[in-house]
Amino acid sequence: MSGPALHRRLVSALLGLLAFASVSEAQSRPAMMAKSPSLAKSIPATNLIFYIEFDGLKAHSVAWKKSAIYKLLNETKLGAMTEDLAGQAIEQALATTPPAGRPKSSEVLVWLKSVANDGFAFGLLGSLKNDPPMFVLTVRNASKNGIKALFDSFDDPKKPARIERRGSRSLKFNPDPNSNDVFWLEGDDLVLMSSPAKVNPDGVIAAIEGKAPNVASNPIRVELAKIEAGFEPVLVAFVDFSKIPIPPSAARYGLNGLKRIDYRWGFQDDATYSILRVLAPSPRRGVLSWLEGPTFDKNSLPSIPAGLTSWTAFSFSPGMVWEKSLAMVREAMPPGGDPNMRSQMVVFDDQMRQVLGIRIKEDLLGQLGPKWVFYFDTEAIQKGDAKARAAITVELKDQAVLAQTLDRFVTIVDQGLKQQAQRNPRAAAAEFRKLTGATPGYKMILPAGQIPANLAATVNPTILVGKKQLVIGLNESQARAALAANRWVPGPDYKTPFAKLPADLIMLSVSDPRTSTPQMIASTPVLLASLNMVIASQAGGKPAFSLKIDPSKVPTAPEISQRLFPSTMAVSLDREGLKVVSRESIPSVSVAGGGVALGLLLPAVQAAREAARRSQCVNNLKQIGLALHNYHSASDGFPAAAITSKDGRPLLSWRVAILPYIEQNALYNEFKLDEAWDSPHNKALISKMPNTYLCPSRNKVEPFTTTYLTFVGGGALFNLNKPTSIRDVTDGTSNTMAVVESGKAIPWTKPDDITFDPNAPPSLLGVSANHTGGFNVLMTDGSVRFIKLTINPITFRALITRAGGEIIQGNSF
């Protein structure tokens, strides 16, 4: 196997092992095992740049079994579900490899579990100045768990490995002349070395035998592995920046003050716990000096609305950062340089001062900080809940100065928005409206169609300039609630994490996963279905990869929720540098972003749900399109927009006329076609609306109504009381709309669609949808397209007419 191929496999394996270690069911024996010698002894300490050691869950069996994540994996279906998905993913990944020597997915799962339980160590060595880097990887118990056999299987029978003896050791060298890999067993442990240059294992063997320094006695590693304050580290890692050459450009910005980054992950009580440290001792220069500033503690939190379960507070002085950034940029400019080559940041600062009379630091940024609060109720917002809470609040120094600056700034922004709208008629302009009352402020009015219809009543960003705080709220009511907030009081569930918070905080993030995480896990089937649809659409309907799960194998939200508790991420600063401490009930995907990760994942789950709903909407329209064409075949024309009386009075919708063609013939026969839709007899049938007429993305659905409407009259496809033939569609069936999603919901049997007047000013005629950014449209040829809300109204009008003679570019909508 070539060196690059081996590197790729090892990197993938390391990432997989670290991820799986967080979710693997431990195979620990009931009794506590005697702790194996540290694998650190197999990694030389000389010229060590990067080191990571995962001690294995077996060595920390007692702490592991006390943790909430262990209980989630072993007392609910979550562990079995995770293993099932991992097995599917591995099997499909293996299908892309050559059949010869291909392992079974069950074998790979055993290897992953074994390494998660037994552990590994990895070191990157070299000066990075003259010597090429070399890495050493050691995997515990590799001769017993099949890892050694896996490496042996990489042998090419046509190019047998070169075997060398070093005392009792049998070293296997890769025969490829372009590769410098060697591995051997140390007892039951496998040691692998690789380097771009010729590899010499003697230094590693000397470290193992104690004849040369190894990482086991490295003071950094010894410090990181200590148990302290009930925290039992399982994984430790560090990067030594003194071994990495710092380029002059980085040094100019103070990055040569960065000495080391180290990380620990493990268990504390029933929580997973991690500490990330960035060692950058004072005095700090350049970008590192941006960290300097006032700190706070749990007793001096800024004002936060009561009852919030997730929020982030931080200390940040934007005026100081702007001033220091300008100084660095100006310092970097060569003496006597061309003034036209100045940094955009310097140009912007000068223009704001000279042209607009706004001093960025003194009048704007310098008035803000240092205490900030941010909270965002993602789930409630996406549901269109008018009470959804979201705001940013920041400490304010001088209300009068900032209010005056804001007036000028908003005026300039409004002018820019209007000019943009004049240049692009398709984009209606947003605008800021000044609020009345004692508190200065502005509300941003967003044009219809720029955000999904279900959010229109919730999202109207509002700025309020209070006496001591500036607030930017999701809407006016939320902005005023944030301005009136008092100090947040932690409830009983927060007692334990708050008791262990460090002092000198510059950031504190609190999140409660008991709502979002259970829903996210319970939504796994929907998420996978959406993912599979996306993959299938990109693969032309033939997905090369898909994951499936039986919904009955997914744990319920309540059984997940009862094993969770609030998470905290605390960032503190002292003379030695930055420290990020995370305490979580379930490990997040990032080093220090438990609450942040859940906040990011929840929109992904919501997006997956919407993707699935949007796909169902497309299927509904395709069924309607097929029904229209079957009707056309049977009647030599599409139905009229309404079933009418003998005197031409509309009685029932075209949606009733096509019922026999959507497998609803029995329902069709129940209607009295000579009576109106709301006659006593026909009105009783409204409650039998087929699901085909319901877009699943609609919120707050009025019972038995539909938003699938068509255009009527004025040269559109449908006429009120007479059929239309495909022969009449001279613009082309692929360029003529048949059915659209409207913002108006009507009883499905009512003959009430969208009247089209070709002489009226071009507009979207009330067409809207709950899909983000646009709406689905059934074209006359039976295809379904997604049209953005920003479509040119002139193009939209051309798509309505069936014989207007307009020329429509294929990429214009």
Side-chain angles (χ1 to χ4, degrees):
M1 180 170 55
S2 68
L6 179 60
H7 282 98
R8 285 194 297 271
R9 289 199 185 190
L10 284 172
V11 170
S12 299
L14 281 171
L15 292 174
L17 292 175
L18 284 171
F20 203 77
S22 299
V23 297
S24 170
E25 178 182 358
Q27 297 171 334
S28 313
R29 295 182 177 89
M32 184 66 176
M33 298 289 296
K35 188 173 173 68
S36 302
S38 171
L39 297 176
K41 68 176 184 179
S42 62
I43 311 295
T46 305
N47 288 330
L48 183 65
I49 302 169
F50 170 71
Y51 178 71
I52 180 170
E53 178 182 347
F54 182 69
D55 208 20
L57 298 174
K58 187 185 296 183
H60 302 270
S61 175
V62 173
W64 163 234
K65 289 184 176 182
K66 286 170 56 180
S67 68
I69 182 61
Y70 176 89
K71 295 171 184 176
L72 281 166
L73 293 171
N74 291 277
E75 296 176 1
T76 74
K77 298 175 184 177
L78 182 61
M81 184 188 83
T82 303
E83 187 167 327
D84 181 21
L85 293 175
Q88 292 182 54
I90 292 168
E91 183 148 358
Q92 296 188 55
L94 290 173
T96 64
T97 63
R102 179 193 298 169
K104 298 178 180 178
S105 61
S106 58
E107 293 176 318
V108 178
L109 274 172
V110 169
W111 296 333
L112 288 171
K113 284 187 175 184
S114 298
V115 177
N117 283 291
D118 293 328
F120 65 88
F122 175 89
L124 180 68
L125 303 96
S127 65
L128 295 185
K129 296 178 181 178
N130 301 314
D131 303 328
M134 171 186 73
F135 77 69
V136 182
L137 170 68
T138 304
V139 181
R140 184 179 279 128
N141 288 335
S143 68
K144 296 179 179 179
N145 58 28
I147 302 294
K148 168 64 164 54
L150 170 66
F151 276 80
D152 286 334
S153 70
F154 295 150
D155 287 350
D156 186 345
K158 298 179 181 179
K159 295 180 180 179
R162 176 167 55 89
I163 307 296
E164 289 188 11
R165 302 289 299 181
R166 294 289 199 279
S168 60
R169 300 175 178 86
S170 180
L171 281 61
K172 181 180 284 190
F173 287 80
N174 193 321
D176 190 331
N178 297 318
S179 176
N180 295 285
D181 310 322
V182 58
F183 67 89
W184 69 93
L185 284 177
E186 285 288 337
D188 290 322
D189 304 336
L190 181 138
V191 180
L192 168 70
M193 292 180 59
S194 184
S195 173
K198 184 176 181 180
V199 65
N200 183 356
D202 292 340
V204 176
I205 293 173
I208 292 172
E209 294 178 343
K211 298 176 182 178
N214 61 49
V215 183
S217 57
N218 182 291
I220 300 173
R221 184 257 169 199
V222 171
E223 176 192 358
L224 294 178
K226 286 180 179 177
I227 297 177
E228 56 182 36
F231 173 38
E232 190 170 324
V234 180
L235 182 147
V236 299
F238 61 87
V239 181
D240 188 349
F241 284 93
S242 67
K243 303 292 195 305
I244 301 175
I246 303 296
S249 58
R252 185 183 304 128
Y253 292 106
L255 293 180
N256 55 341
L258 185 61
K259 303 304 180 185
R260 191 177 79 237
I261 296 178
D262 58 48
Y263 177 68
R264 290 177 282 173
W265 178 91
F267 306 111
Q268 184 188 65
D269 303 325
D270 56 349
T272 58
Y273 197 83
S274 66
I275 301 176
L276 171 72
R277 289 194 308 173
V278 179
L279 271 70
S282 295
R284 290 177 272 264
R285 295 180 52 254
V287 295
L288 295 179
S289 68
W290 294 356
L291 301 173
E292 307 287 359
T295 61
F296 61 93
D297 60 28
K298 60 186 178 184
N299 297 315
S300 59
L301 291 172
S303 298
I304 301 171
L308 282 177
T309 57
S310 298
W311 49 264
T312 297
F314 54 97
S315 177
F316 176 62
S317 300
M320 177 268 290
V321 171
W322 182 263
E323 185 176 39
K324 290 188 175 184
S325 300
L326 279 176
M328 282 190 296
V329 170
R330 287 191 168 109
E331 185 181 345
M333 292 173 60
D338 185 349
N340 294 321
M341 298 300 291
R342 294 175 302 165
S343 161
Q344 290 297 317
M345 184 178 183
V346 174
V347 171
F348 179 72
D349 187 77
D350 290 344
Q351 287 181 343
M352 290 291 288
R353 185 186 301 265
Q354 297 168 8
V355 179
L356 304 177
I358 296 177
R359 300 171 299 172
I360 295 293
K361 178 187 178 280
E362 294 84 352
D363 300 335
L364 186 60
L365 299 183
Q367 297 298 325
L368 304 177
K371 288 185 178 181
W372 298 64
V373 173
F374 169 78
Y375 52 91
F376 195 86
D377 192 347
T378 305
E379 187 174 11
I381 291 169
Q382 292 183 339
K383 288 180 178 179
D385 187 345
K387 296 181 180 180
R389 299 200 283 186
I392 299 174
T393 69
V394 54
E395 197 172 28
L396 181 59
K397 296 179 181 177
D398 191 316
Q399 180 189 36
V401 171
L402 189 64
Q404 186 178 16
T405 302
L406 188 63
D407 283 343
R408 283 182 286 171
F409 198 77
V410 167
T411 300
I412 295 165
V413 172
D414 254 349
Q415 291 173 350
L417 291 172
K418 291 176 182 177
Q419 291 173 358
Q420 184 180 14
Q422 291 173 354
R423 292 192 298 267
N424 182 8
R426 288 183 293 175
E431 63 173 316
F432 285 95
R433 291 182 185 171
K434 192 166 186 177
L435 299 174
T436 59
T439 304
Y442 284 89
K443 179 189 291 187
M444 189 175 191
I445 307 302
L446 298 172
Q450 285 198 358
I451 58 174
N454 63 312
L455 301 182
T458 306
V459 181
N460 288 111
T462 302
I463 304 172
L464 294 176
V465 185
K467 294 182 179 179
K468 296 183 179 180
Q469 284 183 310
L470 172 75
V471 175
I472 303 175
L474 184 70
N475 50 51
E476 184 175 352
S477 64
Q478 287 304 312
R480 295 195 182 281
L483 197 62
N486 295 315
R487 179 168 296 178
W488 184 83
V489 178
D493 292 339
Y494 295 85
K495 181 178 180 181
T496 299
F498 266 64
K500 299 182 179 182
L501 286 176
D504 301 321
L505 292 169
I506 60 172
M507 178 176 172
L508 176 61
S509 183
V510 170
S511 63
D512 192 340
R514 286 175 290 189
T515 299
S516 57
T517 298
Q519 290 181 348
M520 184 172 59
I521 293 172
S523 299
T524 301
V526 176
L527 183 63
L528 292 180
S530 176
L531 177 63
N532 292 338
M533 283 191 293
V534 172
I535 295 174
S537 65
Q538 294 177 345
K542 298 179 180 179
F545 181 89
S546 65
L547 296 176
K548 299 178 181 178
I549 189 103
D550 183 347
S552 66
K553 297 181 178 179
V554 180
T556 64
E559 60 185 348
I560 296 293
S561 179
Q562 66 183 354
R563 292 169 173 83
L564 300 178
F565 46 79
S567 303
T568 58
M569 180 182 70
V571 184
S572 58
L573 183 71
D574 57 26
R575 292 188 58 82
E576 295 303 312
L578 193 76
K579 180 186 287 188
V580 184
V581 180
S582 294
R583 186 182 188 276
E584 305 168 292
S585 52
I586 186 168
S588 61
V589 296
S590 66
V591 168
V596 175
L598 290 174
L600 294 173
L601 283 173
L602 182 58
V605 173
Q606 298 288 356
R609 290 174 177 169
E610 167 54 20
R613 290 190 290 258
R614 179 171 149 185
S615 176
Q616 181 59 49
C617 178
V618 170
N619 288 335
N620 289 346
L621 287 170
K622 285 185 176 180
Q623 288 187 50
I624 293 172
L626 182 61
L628 288 172
H629 277 266
N630 286 338
Y631 185 103
H632 189 288
S633 297
S635 306
D636 196 28
F638 294 118
I643 298 172
T644 60
S645 63
K646 292 180 180 180
D647 60 359
R649 182 167 54 91
L651 300 176
L652 291 160
S653 168
W654 59 270
R655 288 173 289 273
V656 174
I658 66 169
L659 283 174
Y661 304 98
I662 58 171
E663 300 181 357
Q664 294 288 337
N665 194 64
L667 177 58
Y668 176 79
N669 290 333
E670 291 188 55
F671 280 91
K672 291 185 177 181
L673 302 182
D674 58 350
E675 295 184 4
W677 69 277
D678 56 352
S679 71
H681 175 83
N682 287 342
K683 191 172 184 179
L685 300 176
I686 296 176
S687 61
K688 297 185 178 183
M689 185 181 85
N691 288 333
T692 304
Y693 294 142
L694 176 64
C695 172
S697 288
R698 288 176 58 193
N699 287 289
K700 301 178 181 178
V701 179
E702 300 171 34
F704 318 122
T705 61
T706 185
T707 53
Y708 294 145
L709 309 184
T710 189
F711 298 101
V712 181
L717 181 66
F718 280 71
N719 290 309
L720 180 61
N721 53 12
K722 64 179 181 179
T724 305
S725 172
I726 285 181
R727 296 185 298 272
D728 301 323
V729 187
T730 58
D731 284 350
T733 55
S734 63
N735 289 331
T736 304
M737 294 187 290
V739 179
V740 298
E741 293 187 276
S742 172
K744 178 177 70 172
I746 63 170
W748 70 280
T749 59
K750 185 179 181 180
D752 181 16
D753 288 87
I754 305 171
T755 301
F756 174 57
D757 178 2
N759 297 316
S763 72
L764 296 189
L765 298 176
V767 172
S768 180
N770 290 316
H771 308 299
T772 303
F775 50 93
N776 289 319
V777 170
L778 170 67
M779 308 304 290
T780 305
D781 64 354
S783 65
V784 176
R785 299 190 185 186
F786 185 76
I787 294 183
K788 294 181 179 179
L789 289 167
T790 55
I791 184 174
N792 189 321
I794 296 175
T795 302
F796 186 75
R797 181 174 63 183
L799 291 170
I800 296 174
T801 60
R802 65 177 186 270
E806 304 94 344
I807 298 175
I808 300 174
Q809 300 295 331
N811 60 354
S812 63
F813 66 98

